[in-house]
PDB file of all heavy atoms in Angstrom:
ATOM      1  N   PRO A  56     -92.857  62.850 138.088  1.00 75.00           N
ATOM      2  CA  PRO A  56     -93.540  64.056 138.659  1.00 75.00           C
ATOM      3  C   PRO A  56     -93.030  64.619 139.947  1.00 75.00           C
ATOM      4  O   PRO A  56     -92.429  63.713 140.766  1.00 75.00           O
ATOM      5  CB  PRO A  56     -94.974  63.536 138.857  1.00 75.00           C
ATOM      6  CG  PRO A  56     -95.219  62.393 137.855  1.00 75.00           C
ATOM      7  CD  PRO A  56     -93.828  61.718 137.883  1.00 75.00           C
ATOM      8  N   ALA A  57     -93.164  65.848 140.182  1.00 69.00           N
ATOM      9  CA  ALA A  57     -92.666  66.531 141.410  1.00 69.00           C
ATOM     10  C   ALA A  57     -91.208  66.466 141.626  1.00 69.00           C
ATOM     11  O   ALA A  57     -90.700  66.519 142.704  1.00 69.00           O
ATOM     12  CB  ALA A  57     -93.281  65.839 142.694  1.00 69.00           C
ATOM     13  N   LYS A  60     -89.563  69.729 137.049  1.00 83.00           N
ATOM     14  CA  LYS A  60     -89.561  69.939 135.569  1.00 83.00           C
ATOM     15  C   LYS A  60     -90.230  71.234 135.194  1.00 83.00           C
ATOM     16  O   LYS A  60     -89.590  71.969 134.452  1.00 83.00           O
ATOM     17  CB  LYS A  60     -90.141  68.788 134.778  1.00 83.00           C
ATOM     18  CG  LYS A  60     -89.483  67.447 135.064  1.00 83.00           C
ATOM     19  CD  LYS A  60     -90.080  66.265 134.220  1.00 83.00           C
ATOM     20  CE  LYS A  60     -91.557  66.179 134.474  1.00 83.00           C
ATOM     21  NZ  LYS A  60     -91.828  65.657 135.923  1.00 83.00           N
ATOM     22  N   THR A  61     -91.400  71.405 135.643  1.00 81.00           N
ATOM     23  CA  THR A  61     -92.082  72.632 135.294  1.00 81.00           C
ATOM     24  C   THR A  61     -91.489  73.907 135.892  1.00 81.00           C
ATOM     25  O   THR A  61     -91.410  74.968 135.239  1.00 81.00           O
ATOM     26  CB  THR A  61     -93.560  72.674 135.762  1.00 81.00           C
ATOM     27  OG1 THR A  61     -94.186  71.548 135.032  1.00 81.00           O
ATOM     28  CG2 THR A  61     -94.225  73.962 135.476  1.00 81.00           C
ATOM     29  N   PHE A  62     -90.909  73.723 137.153  1.00 82.00           N
ATOM     30  CA  PHE A  62     -90.151  74.944 137.708  1.00 82.00           C
ATOM     31  C   PHE A  62     -88.941  75.236 136.803  1.00 82.00           C
ATOM     32  O   PHE A  62     -88.791  76.461 136.570  1.00 82.00           O
ATOM     33  CB  PHE A  62     -89.671  74.464 139.150  1.00 82.00           C
ATOM     34  CG  PHE A  62     -88.651  75.384 139.767  1.00 82.00           C
ATOM     35  CD1 PHE A  62     -89.104  76.571 140.419  1.00 82.00           C
ATOM     36  CD2 PHE A  62     -87.321  75.184 139.668  1.00 82.00           C
ATOM     37  CE1 PHE A  62     -88.303  77.475 140.947  1.00 82.00           C
ATOM     38  CE2 PHE A  62     -86.475  76.032 140.350  1.00 82.00           C
ATOM     39  CZ  PHE A  62     -86.821  77.164 140.969  1.00 82.00           C
ATOM     40  N   THR A  65     -90.081  77.028 133.567  1.00 88.00           N
ATOM     41  CA  THR A  65     -90.463  78.360 133.757  1.00 88.00           C
ATOM     42  C   THR A  65     -89.284  79.319 133.922  1.00 88.00           C
ATOM     43  O   THR A  65     -89.115  80.370 133.330  1.00 88.00           O
ATOM     44  CB  THR A  65     -91.309  78.481 134.904  1.00 88.00           C
ATOM     45  OG1 THR A  65     -92.541  77.766 134.769  1.00 88.00           O
ATOM     46  CG2 THR A  65     -91.825  80.004 135.243  1.00 88.00           C
ATOM     47  N   ASN A  82     -96.711  73.395 127.865  1.00 89.00           N
ATOM     48  CA  ASN A  82     -96.989  72.545 129.029  1.00 89.00           C
ATOM     49  C   ASN A  82     -98.106  71.558 128.655  1.00 89.00           C
ATOM     50  O   ASN A  82     -99.265  72.015 128.443  1.00 89.00           O
ATOM     51  CB  ASN A  82     -97.299  73.340 130.283  1.00 89.00           C
ATOM     52  CG  ASN A  82     -97.606  72.550 131.476  1.00 89.00           C
ATOM     53  OD1 ASN A  82     -98.688  72.048 131.691  1.00 89.00           O
ATOM     54  ND2 ASN A  82     -96.585  72.339 132.372  1.00 89.00           N
ATOM     55  N   VAL A  83     -97.842  70.272 128.659  1.00 88.00           N
ATOM     56  CA  VAL A  83     -98.867  69.308 128.239  1.00 88.00           C
ATOM     57  C   VAL A  83     -99.944  69.178 129.235  1.00 88.00           C
ATOM     58  O   VAL A  83    -101.129  68.986 128.837  1.00 88.00           O
ATOM     59  CB  VAL A  83     -98.185  67.957 127.981  1.00 88.00           C
ATOM     60  CG1 VAL A  83     -99.184  66.842 127.679  1.00 88.00           C
ATOM     61  CG2 VAL A  83     -97.099  67.948 126.884  1.00 88.00           C
ATOM     62  N   GLY A  84     -99.638  69.435 130.551  1.00 83.00           N
ATOM     63  CA  GLY A  84    -100.719  69.455 131.554  1.00 83.00           C
ATOM     64  C   GLY A  84    -101.787  70.472 131.295  1.00 83.00           C
ATOM     65  O   GLY A  84    -102.993  70.233 131.500  1.00 83.00           O
ATOM     66  N   THR A  85    -101.450  71.666 130.742  1.00 86.00           N
ATOM     67  CA  THR A  85    -102.340  72.728 130.409  1.00 86.00           C
ATOM     68  C   THR A  85    -103.217  72.226 129.250  1.00 86.00           C
ATOM     69  O   THR A  85    -104.429  72.494 129.275  1.00 86.00           O
ATOM     70  CB  THR A  85    -101.557  74.042 129.962  1.00 86.00           C
ATOM     71  OG1 THR A  85    -100.712  74.394 131.062  1.00 86.00           O
ATOM     72  CG2 THR A  85    -102.548  75.118 129.664  1.00 86.00           C
ATOM     73  N   ARG A  87    -103.852  69.176 128.534  1.00 83.00           N
ATOM     74  CA  ARG A  87    -104.706  68.073 128.873  1.00 83.00           C
ATOM     75  C   ARG A  87    -106.000  68.567 129.698  1.00 83.00           C
ATOM     76  O   ARG A  87    -107.045  68.172 129.484  1.00 83.00           O
ATOM     77  CB  ARG A  87    -103.923  67.162 129.895  1.00 83.00           C
ATOM     78  CG  ARG A  87    -104.599  65.883 130.287  1.00 83.00           C
ATOM     79  CD  ARG A  87    -104.951  66.070 131.795  1.00 83.00           C
ATOM     80  NE  ARG A  87    -103.780  66.338 132.546  1.00 83.00           N
ATOM     81  CZ  ARG A  87    -103.829  66.859 133.775  1.00 83.00           C
ATOM     82  NH1 ARG A  87    -105.052  67.136 134.322  1.00 83.00           N
ATOM     83  NH2 ARG A  87    -102.744  67.044 134.504  1.00 83.00           N
ATOM     84  N   ARG A  88    -105.780  69.637 130.507  1.00 82.00           N
ATOM     85  CA  ARG A  88    -106.926  70.160 131.234  1.00 82.00           C
ATOM     86  C   ARG A  88    -107.756  70.920 130.270  1.00 82.00           C
ATOM     87  O   ARG A  88    -109.082  70.873 130.487  1.00 82.00           O
ATOM     88  CB  ARG A  88    -106.359  71.231 132.292  1.00 82.00           C
ATOM     89  CG  ARG A  88    -105.838  70.436 133.555  1.00 82.00           C
ATOM     90  CD  ARG A  88    -105.404  71.405 134.581  1.00 82.00           C
ATOM     91  NE  ARG A  88    -104.193  72.037 134.351  1.00 82.00           N
ATOM     92  CZ  ARG A  88    -102.919  71.666 134.684  1.00 82.00           C
ATOM     93  NH1 ARG A  88    -102.862  70.498 135.310  1.00 82.00           N
ATOM     94  NH2 ARG A  88    -101.901  72.334 134.370  1.00 82.00           N
ATOM     95  N   GLY A  92    -110.523  68.393 130.812  1.00 77.00           N
ATOM     96  CA  GLY A  92    -111.074  68.858 132.076  1.00 77.00           C
ATOM     97  C   GLY A  92    -109.941  68.697 133.112  1.00 77.00           C
ATOM     98  O   GLY A  92    -109.028  67.964 133.048  1.00 77.00           O
ATOM     99  N   LYS A  93    -110.181  69.394 134.275  1.00 66.00           N
ATOM    100  CA  LYS A  93    -109.317  69.322 135.339  1.00 66.00           C
ATOM    101  C   LYS A  93    -109.739  68.305 136.512  1.00 66.00           C
ATOM    102  O   LYS A  93    -110.818  67.744 136.321  1.00 66.00           O
ATOM    103  CB  LYS A  93    -109.109  70.689 136.033  1.00 66.00           C
ATOM    104  CG  LYS A  93    -110.357  71.367 136.530  1.00 66.00           C
ATOM    105  CD  LYS A  93    -110.144  72.673 137.013  1.00 66.00           C
ATOM    106  CE  LYS A  93    -111.382  73.448 137.643  1.00 66.00           C
ATOM    107  NZ  LYS A  93    -111.057  74.700 138.180  1.00 66.00           N
ATOM    108  N   SER A  94    -109.045  68.206 137.519  1.00 56.00           N
ATOM    109  CA  SER A  94    -109.351  67.304 138.599  1.00 56.00           C
ATOM    110  C   SER A  94    -109.566  65.938 138.134  1.00 56.00           C
ATOM    111  O   SER A  94    -110.558  65.224 138.477  1.00 56.00           O
ATOM    112  CB  SER A  94    -110.559  67.851 139.384  1.00 56.00           C
ATOM    113  OG  SER A  94    -110.261  69.021 139.950  1.00 56.00           O
ATOM    114  N   PRO A  95    -108.656  65.321 137.329  1.00 54.00           N
ATOM    115  CA  PRO A  95    -108.748  63.923 136.839  1.00 54.00           C
ATOM    116  C   PRO A  95    -108.518  62.900 137.946  1.00 54.00           C
ATOM    117  O   PRO A  95    -107.806  63.294 138.907  1.00 54.00           O
ATOM    118  CB  PRO A  95    -107.891  63.824 135.664  1.00 54.00           C
ATOM    119  CG  PRO A  95    -106.704  64.689 136.089  1.00 54.00           C
ATOM    120  CD  PRO A  95    -107.394  65.864 136.891  1.00 54.00           C
ATOM    121  N   PHE A 100    -103.061  58.801 134.788  1.00 69.00           N
ATOM    122  CA  PHE A 100    -101.633  58.937 134.695  1.00 69.00           C
ATOM    123  C   PHE A 100    -100.966  57.573 134.747  1.00 69.00           C
ATOM    124  O   PHE A 100     -99.771  57.472 134.851  1.00 69.00           O
ATOM    125  CB  PHE A 100    -101.001  59.795 135.794  1.00 69.00           C
ATOM    126  CG  PHE A 100    -101.641  61.247 135.726  1.00 69.00           C
ATOM    127  CD1 PHE A 100    -102.781  61.587 136.380  1.00 69.00           C
ATOM    128  CD2 PHE A 100    -100.990  62.212 134.875  1.00 69.00           C
ATOM    129  CE1 PHE A 100    -103.268  62.868 136.250  1.00 69.00           C
ATOM    130  CE2 PHE A 100    -101.499  63.369 134.773  1.00 69.00           C
ATOM    131  CZ  PHE A 100    -102.587  63.774 135.446  1.00 69.00           C
ATOM    132  N   ASP A 136     -92.801  70.674 127.839  1.00 88.00           N
ATOM    133  CA  ASP A 136     -92.860  70.247 129.238  1.00 88.00           C
ATOM    134  C   ASP A 136     -93.958  69.101 129.352  1.00 88.00           C
ATOM    135  O   ASP A 136     -95.063  69.276 129.460  1.00 88.00           O
ATOM    136  CB  ASP A 136     -93.362  71.452 130.035  1.00 88.00           C
ATOM    137  CG  ASP A 136     -93.379  71.206 131.549  1.00 88.00           C
ATOM    138  OD1 ASP A 136     -92.930  70.080 132.021  1.00 88.00           O
ATOM    139  OD2 ASP A 136     -93.787  72.047 132.372  1.00 88.00           O
ATOM    140  N   THR A 138     -94.419  64.772 130.974  1.00 72.00           N
ATOM    141  CA  THR A 138     -93.897  63.809 131.786  1.00 72.00           C
ATOM    142  C   THR A 138     -93.542  62.610 130.954  1.00 72.00           C
ATOM    143  O   THR A 138     -94.396  61.715 130.615  1.00 72.00           O
ATOM    144  CB  THR A 138     -94.965  63.307 132.864  1.00 72.00           C
ATOM    145  OG1 THR A 138     -95.366  64.463 133.667  1.00 72.00           O
ATOM    146  CG2 THR A 138     -94.341  62.359 133.793  1.00 72.00           C
ATOM    147  N   ASN A 176     -92.026  69.265 147.750  1.00 68.00           N
ATOM    148  CA  ASN A 176     -92.231  69.810 146.404  1.00 68.00           C
ATOM    149  C   ASN A 176     -93.746  69.597 146.157  1.00 68.00           C
ATOM    150  O   ASN A 176     -94.350  70.510 145.457  1.00 68.00           O
ATOM    151  CB  ASN A 176     -91.468  69.141 145.348  1.00 68.00           C
ATOM    152  CG  ASN A 176     -90.063  69.542 145.431  1.00 68.00           C
ATOM    153  OD1 ASN A 176     -89.660  70.526 146.076  1.00 68.00           O
ATOM    154  ND2 ASN A 176     -89.068  68.765 144.734  1.00 68.00           N
ATOM    155  N   ILE A 177     -94.372  68.528 146.402  1.00 66.00           N
ATOM    156  CA  ILE A 177     -95.808  68.399 146.142  1.00 66.00           C
ATOM    157  C   ILE A 177     -96.626  69.374 146.849  1.00 66.00           C
ATOM    158  O   ILE A 177     -97.505  69.995 146.374  1.00 66.00           O
ATOM    159  CB  ILE A 177     -96.231  66.834 146.567  1.00 66.00           C
ATOM    160  CG1 ILE A 177     -95.563  65.866 145.732  1.00 66.00           C
ATOM    161  CG2 ILE A 177     -97.760  66.747 146.572  1.00 66.00           C
ATOM    162  CD1 ILE A 177     -95.833  64.475 146.168  1.00 66.00           C
ATOM    163  N   ARG A 178     -96.290  69.486 148.211  1.00 61.00           N
ATOM    164  CA  ARG A 178     -97.111  70.489 149.003  1.00 61.00           C
ATOM    165  C   ARG A 178     -96.854  71.925 148.563  1.00 61.00           C
ATOM    166  O   ARG A 178     -97.762  72.816 148.577  1.00 61.00           O
ATOM    167  CB  ARG A 178     -96.675  70.320 150.499  1.00 61.00           C
ATOM    168  CG  ARG A 178     -97.127  69.049 151.085  1.00 61.00           C
ATOM    169  CD  ARG A 178     -96.920  68.980 152.645  1.00 61.00           C
ATOM    170  NE  ARG A 178     -97.282  67.704 153.219  1.00 61.00           N
ATOM    171  CZ  ARG A 178     -98.516  67.404 153.489  1.00 61.00           C
ATOM    172  NH1 ARG A 178     -99.540  68.329 153.318  1.00 61.00           N
ATOM    173  NH2 ARG A 178     -98.739  66.262 154.056  1.00 61.00           N
ATOM    174  N   GLU A 179     -95.654  72.203 148.174  1.00 61.00           N
ATOM    175  CA  GLU A 179     -95.304  73.633 147.776  1.00 61.00           C
ATOM    176  C   GLU A 179     -95.734  73.969 146.402  1.00 61.00           C
ATOM    177  O   GLU A 179     -96.217  75.162 146.245  1.00 61.00           O
ATOM    178  CB  GLU A 179     -93.762  73.791 147.818  1.00 61.00           C
ATOM    179  CG  GLU A 179     -93.284  75.219 147.710  1.00 61.00           C
ATOM    180  CD  GLU A 179     -93.691  76.041 148.898  1.00 61.00           C
ATOM    181  OE1 GLU A 179     -93.739  75.492 150.014  1.00 61.00           O
ATOM    182  OE2 GLU A 179     -93.859  77.289 148.692  1.00 61.00           O
ATOM    183  N   VAL A 180     -95.784  73.090 145.452  1.00 57.00           N
ATOM    184  CA  VAL A 180     -96.053  73.488 144.065  1.00 57.00           C
ATOM    185  C   VAL A 180     -97.318  72.704 143.574  1.00 57.00           C
ATOM    186  O   VAL A 180     -98.219  73.385 143.045  1.00 57.00           O
ATOM    187  CB  VAL A 180     -94.851  73.108 143.220  1.00 57.00           C
ATOM    188  CG1 VAL A 180     -95.052  73.481 141.736  1.00 57.00           C
ATOM    189  CG2 VAL A 180     -93.570  73.927 143.618  1.00 57.00           C
ATOM    190  N   LYS A 181     -97.281  71.331 143.615  1.00 57.00           N
ATOM    191  CA  LYS A 181     -98.241  70.575 142.936  1.00 57.00           C
ATOM    192  C   LYS A 181     -99.736  70.795 143.483  1.00 57.00           C
ATOM    193  O   LYS A 181    -100.666  70.747 142.690  1.00 57.00           O
ATOM    194  CB  LYS A 181     -97.931  69.092 142.977  1.00 57.00           C
ATOM    195  CG  LYS A 181     -96.646  68.836 142.248  1.00 57.00           C
ATOM    196  CD  LYS A 181     -96.631  69.309 140.806  1.00 57.00           C
ATOM    197  CE  LYS A 181     -95.265  68.972 140.077  1.00 57.00           C
ATOM    198  NZ  LYS A 181     -95.255  69.441 138.741  1.00 57.00           N
ATOM    199  N   LEU A 182     -99.859  71.056 144.736  1.00 53.00           N
ATOM    200  CA  LEU A 182    -101.130  71.264 145.381  1.00 53.00           C
ATOM    201  C   LEU A 182    -101.790  72.508 144.879  1.00 53.00           C
ATOM    202  O   LEU A 182    -102.947  72.723 145.144  1.00 53.00           O
ATOM    203  CB  LEU A 182    -101.162  71.116 146.836  1.00 53.00           C
ATOM    204  CG  LEU A 182    -100.658  69.752 147.396  1.00 53.00           C
ATOM    205  CD1 LEU A 182    -100.972  69.723 148.886  1.00 53.00           C
ATOM    206  CD2 LEU A 182    -101.301  68.648 146.672  1.00 53.00           C
ATOM    207  N   ASN A 183    -100.989  73.383 144.216  1.00 56.00           N
ATOM    208  CA  ASN A 183    -101.568  74.688 143.732  1.00 56.00           C
ATOM    209  C   ASN A 183    -101.999  74.520 142.221  1.00 56.00           C
ATOM    210  O   ASN A 183    -102.486  75.453 141.685  1.00 56.00           O
ATOM    211  CB  ASN A 183    -100.539  75.765 143.907  1.00 56.00           C
ATOM    212  CG  ASN A 183    -100.315  76.106 145.270  1.00 56.00           C
ATOM    213  OD1 ASN A 183    -101.236  76.261 146.073  1.00 56.00           O
ATOM    214  ND2 ASN A 183     -99.025  76.296 145.708  1.00 56.00           N
ATOM    215  N   LEU A 184    -101.892  73.304 141.666  1.00 59.00           N
ATOM    216  CA  LEU A 184    -102.282  73.109 140.348  1.00 59.00           C
ATOM    217  C   LEU A 184    -103.858  73.201 140.226  1.00 59.00           C
ATOM    218  O   LEU A 184    -104.581  72.910 141.121  1.00 59.00           O
ATOM    219  CB  LEU A 184    -101.919  71.689 139.829  1.00 59.00           C
ATOM    220  CG  LEU A 184    -100.411  71.479 139.622  1.00 59.00           C
ATOM    221  CD1 LEU A 184    -100.228  69.996 139.272  1.00 59.00           C
ATOM    222  CD2 LEU A 184     -99.867  72.298 138.420  1.00 59.00           C
ATOM    223  N   PRO A 185    -104.366  73.613 139.010  1.00 56.00           N
ATOM    224  CA  PRO A 185    -105.844  73.635 138.790  1.00 56.00           C
ATOM    225  C   PRO A 185    -106.454  72.264 139.106  1.00 56.00           C
ATOM    226  O   PRO A 185    -107.669  72.279 139.489  1.00 56.00           O
ATOM    227  CB  PRO A 185    -105.901  74.066 137.320  1.00 56.00           C
ATOM    228  CG  PRO A 185    -104.762  74.804 137.115  1.00 56.00           C
ATOM    229  CD  PRO A 185    -103.581  74.177 137.791  1.00 56.00           C
ATOM    230  N   ASP A 186    -105.755  71.172 138.911  1.00 57.00           N
ATOM    231  CA  ASP A 186    -106.335  69.835 139.196  1.00 57.00           C
ATOM    232  C   ASP A 186    -106.839  69.722 140.594  1.00 57.00           C
ATOM    233  O   ASP A 186    -107.778  68.948 140.915  1.00 57.00           O
ATOM    234  CB  ASP A 186    -105.266  68.772 138.930  1.00 57.00           C
ATOM    235  CG  ASP A 186    -104.951  68.573 137.470  1.00 57.00           C
ATOM    236  OD1 ASP A 186    -105.757  68.986 136.621  1.00 57.00           O
ATOM    237  OD2 ASP A 186    -103.889  67.960 137.214  1.00 57.00           O
ATOM    238  N   TYR A 187    -106.219  70.456 141.573  1.00 54.00           N
ATOM    239  CA  TYR A 187    -106.572  70.281 142.935  1.00 54.00           C
ATOM    240  C   TYR A 187    -107.313  71.551 143.425  1.00 54.00           C
ATOM    241  O   TYR A 187    -107.503  71.733 144.687  1.00 54.00           O
ATOM    242  CB  TYR A 187    -105.325  70.037 143.771  1.00 54.00           C
ATOM    243  CG  TYR A 187    -104.683  68.724 143.442  1.00 54.00           C
ATOM    244  CD1 TYR A 187    -103.463  68.620 142.715  1.00 54.00           C
ATOM    245  CD2 TYR A 187    -105.279  67.439 143.904  1.00 54.00           C
ATOM    246  CE1 TYR A 187    -102.974  67.404 142.410  1.00 54.00           C
ATOM    247  CE2 TYR A 187    -104.676  66.310 143.580  1.00 54.00           C
ATOM    248  CZ  TYR A 187    -103.535  66.218 142.872  1.00 54.00           C
ATOM    249  OH  TYR A 187    -102.945  65.088 142.489  1.00 54.00           O
ATOM    250  N   GLU A 188    -107.864  72.372 142.525  1.00 60.00           N
ATOM    251  CA  GLU A 188    -108.615  73.502 143.059  1.00 60.00           C
ATOM    252  C   GLU A 188    -109.898  72.995 143.779  1.00 60.00           C
ATOM    253  O   GLU A 188    -110.655  72.169 143.280  1.00 60.00           O
ATOM    254  CB  GLU A 188    -109.031  74.287 141.708  1.00 60.00           C
ATOM    255  CG  GLU A 188    -109.695  75.642 142.099  1.00 60.00           C
ATOM    256  CD  GLU A 188    -109.991  76.424 140.890  1.00 60.00           C
ATOM    257  OE1 GLU A 188    -109.364  76.277 139.885  1.00 60.00           O
ATOM    258  OE2 GLU A 188    -111.012  77.246 140.892  1.00 60.00           O
ATOM    259  N   GLY A 189    -110.148  73.549 144.914  1.00 54.00           N
ATOM    260  CA  GLY A 189    -111.284  73.154 145.693  1.00 54.00           C
ATOM    261  C   GLY A 189    -110.971  72.043 146.631  1.00 54.00           C
ATOM    262  O   GLY A 189    -111.803  71.716 147.462  1.00 54.00           O
ATOM    263  N   TRP A 190    -109.906  71.301 146.544  1.00 56.00           N
ATOM    264  CA  TRP A 190    -109.530  70.153 147.452  1.00 56.00           C
ATOM    265  C   TRP A 190    -109.052  70.845 148.694  1.00 56.00           C
ATOM    266  O   TRP A 190    -108.432  71.849 148.860  1.00 56.00           O
ATOM    267  CB  TRP A 190    -108.366  69.268 146.805  1.00 56.00           C
ATOM    268  CG  TRP A 190    -108.797  68.515 145.614  1.00 56.00           C
ATOM    269  CD1 TRP A 190    -109.517  68.943 144.527  1.00 56.00           C
ATOM    270  CD2 TRP A 190    -108.427  67.133 145.483  1.00 56.00           C
ATOM    271  NE1 TRP A 190    -109.615  67.817 143.756  1.00 56.00           N
ATOM    272  CE2 TRP A 190    -109.032  66.724 144.190  1.00 56.00           C
ATOM    273  CE3 TRP A 190    -107.781  66.126 146.205  1.00 56.00           C
ATOM    274  CZ2 TRP A 190    -108.906  65.425 143.755  1.00 56.00           C
ATOM    275  CZ3 TRP A 190    -107.629  64.894 145.674  1.00 56.00           C
ATOM    276  CH2 TRP A 190    -108.186  64.574 144.518  1.00 56.00           C
ATOM    277  N   ARG A 192    -106.581  71.132 151.771  1.00 54.00           N
ATOM    278  CA  ARG A 192    -105.259  70.881 151.866  1.00 54.00           C
ATOM    279  C   ARG A 192    -104.888  69.905 153.031  1.00 54.00           C
ATOM    280  O   ARG A 192    -104.404  70.295 154.040  1.00 54.00           O
ATOM    281  CB  ARG A 192    -104.455  72.219 151.969  1.00 54.00           C
ATOM    282  CG  ARG A 192    -104.583  73.036 150.758  1.00 54.00           C
ATOM    283  CD  ARG A 192    -103.768  74.368 150.867  1.00 54.00           C
ATOM    284  NE  ARG A 192    -102.365  74.099 150.922  1.00 54.00           N
ATOM    285  CZ  ARG A 192    -101.641  73.964 149.747  1.00 54.00           C
ATOM    286  NH1 ARG A 192    -102.282  74.079 148.561  1.00 54.00           N
ATOM    287  NH2 ARG A 192    -100.339  73.769 149.807  1.00 54.00           N
ATOM    288  N   PRO A 196    -104.981  65.081 148.911  1.00 60.00           N
ATOM    289  CA  PRO A 196    -104.360  65.315 147.588  1.00 60.00           C
ATOM    290  C   PRO A 196    -102.888  65.006 147.587  1.00 60.00           C
ATOM    291  O   PRO A 196    -102.432  64.688 146.452  1.00 60.00           O
ATOM    292  CB  PRO A 196    -104.588  66.896 147.525  1.00 60.00           C
ATOM    293  CG  PRO A 196    -104.750  67.376 148.859  1.00 60.00           C
ATOM    294  CD  PRO A 196    -105.494  66.241 149.587  1.00 60.00           C
ATOM    295  N   ASP A 199    -103.014  61.474 146.550  1.00 68.00           N
ATOM    296  CA  ASP A 199    -103.419  61.352 145.262  1.00 68.00           C
ATOM    297  C   ASP A 199    -102.236  61.598 144.265  1.00 68.00           C
ATOM    298  O   ASP A 199    -102.086  60.914 143.234  1.00 68.00           O
ATOM    299  CB  ASP A 199    -104.565  62.340 144.936  1.00 68.00           C
ATOM    300  CG  ASP A 199    -105.101  62.211 143.471  1.00 68.00           C
ATOM    301  OD1 ASP A 199    -105.985  61.396 143.231  1.00 68.00           O
ATOM    302  OD2 ASP A 199    -104.582  62.973 142.538  1.00 68.00           O
ATOM    303  N   PHE A 200    -101.485  62.614 144.525  1.00 68.00           N
ATOM    304  CA  PHE A 200    -100.383  62.952 143.689  1.00 68.00           C
ATOM    305  C   PHE A 200     -99.277  61.877 143.768  1.00 68.00           C
ATOM    306  O   PHE A 200     -98.604  61.538 142.778  1.00 68.00           O
ATOM    307  CB  PHE A 200     -99.775  64.393 143.933  1.00 68.00           C
ATOM    308  CG  PHE A 200     -99.015  64.853 142.810  1.00 68.00           C
ATOM    309  CD1 PHE A 200     -99.603  65.663 141.807  1.00 68.00           C
ATOM    310  CD2 PHE A 200     -97.682  64.628 142.618  1.00 68.00           C
ATOM    311  CE1 PHE A 200     -98.942  66.153 140.779  1.00 68.00           C
ATOM    312  CE2 PHE A 200     -96.967  65.119 141.517  1.00 68.00           C
ATOM    313  CZ  PHE A 200     -97.631  65.894 140.599  1.00 68.00           C
ATOM    314  N   ARG A 203    -100.117  59.264 141.500  1.00 72.00           N
ATOM    315  CA  ARG A 203     -99.741  59.653 140.122  1.00 72.00           C
ATOM    316  C   ARG A 203     -98.233  59.232 139.836  1.00 72.00           C
ATOM    317  O   ARG A 203     -97.859  58.687 138.804  1.00 72.00           O
ATOM    318  CB  ARG A 203     -99.727  61.141 139.860  1.00 72.00           C
ATOM    319  CG  ARG A 203    -101.143  61.729 139.756  1.00 72.00           C
ATOM    320  CD  ARG A 203    -100.998  63.095 139.153  1.00 72.00           C
ATOM    321  NE  ARG A 203    -102.231  63.895 139.275  1.00 72.00           N
ATOM    322  CZ  ARG A 203    -102.399  65.051 138.757  1.00 72.00           C
ATOM    323  NH1 ARG A 203    -101.351  65.665 138.089  1.00 72.00           N
ATOM    324  NH2 ARG A 203    -103.559  65.740 138.924  1.00 72.00           N
ATOM    325  N   ILE A 204     -97.325  59.643 140.797  1.00 72.00           N
ATOM    326  CA  ILE A 204     -95.949  59.253 140.673  1.00 72.00           C
ATOM    327  C   ILE A 204     -95.754  57.786 140.652  1.00 72.00           C
ATOM    328  O   ILE A 204     -95.020  57.304 139.767  1.00 72.00           O
ATOM    329  CB  ILE A 204     -95.195  59.868 141.885  1.00 72.00           C
ATOM    330  CG1 ILE A 204     -95.237  61.371 141.784  1.00 72.00           C
ATOM    331  CG2 ILE A 204     -93.708  59.463 141.747  1.00 72.00           C
ATOM    332  CD1 ILE A 204     -94.682  62.057 143.107  1.00 72.00           C
TER     333      ILE A 204
END
Side-chain angles (χ1 to χ4, degrees):
K60 297 186 299 300
T61 298
F62 171 80
T65 302
N82 181 276
V83 175
T85 301
R87 184 254 305 162
R88 284 185 283 270
K93 60 185 180 181
S94 299
F100 300 89
D136 186 7
T138 304
N176 286 343
I177 292 172
R178 292 186 181 279
E179 188 68 30
V180 180
K181 298 303 181 182
L182 298 193
N183 293 316
L184 288 173
D186 289 340
Y187 294 105
E188 185 177 337
W190 288 47
R192 293 183 69 85
D199 182 85
F200 202 89
R203 286 195 195 186
I204 297 173

